[in-house]
Amino acid sequence: MEQCNQMVPPVRAVFTVAEVDGVNVCSVEIPGLDLSERPCYYQGAGRLKGAFIRVGDADMVMTV
């Protein structure tokens, strides 16, 4: 939750814990933002260096 609160706007994650084959598994869902609130970015790095886009299995810094 601490990392979610470091985002602008703050991320409201939904946590679910379930038991699978005797092991506890934690799932986190991040709901999408309205277009007017995008992009969501890490406050510590600022908007230009703190916003990323997922490309395949990599996180790439979002360009303007």
Side-chain angles (χ1 to χ4, degrees):
M1 286 305 300
E2 185 177 324
Q3 290 177 332
C4 290
N5 290 329
Q6 294 176 7
M7 305 301 288
V8 176
V11 172
R12 300 293 172 228
V14 178
F15 293 87
T16 305
V17 178
E19 187 176 319
V20 178
D21 297 329
V23 177
N24 287 331
V25 177
C26 179
S27 168
V28 181
E29 297 175 65
I30 309 295
L33 294 173
D34 290 335
L35 290 176
S36 63
E37 296 181 303
R38 295 181 188 182
C40 182
Y41 61 93
Y42 170 60
Q43 188 174 19
R47 187 173 183 166
L48 295 179
K49 294 184 180 180
F52 296 85
I53 188 167
R54 190 77 175 163
V55 179
D57 62 353
D59 295 323
M60 307 294 288
V61 175
M62 187 179 286
T63 58
V64 207

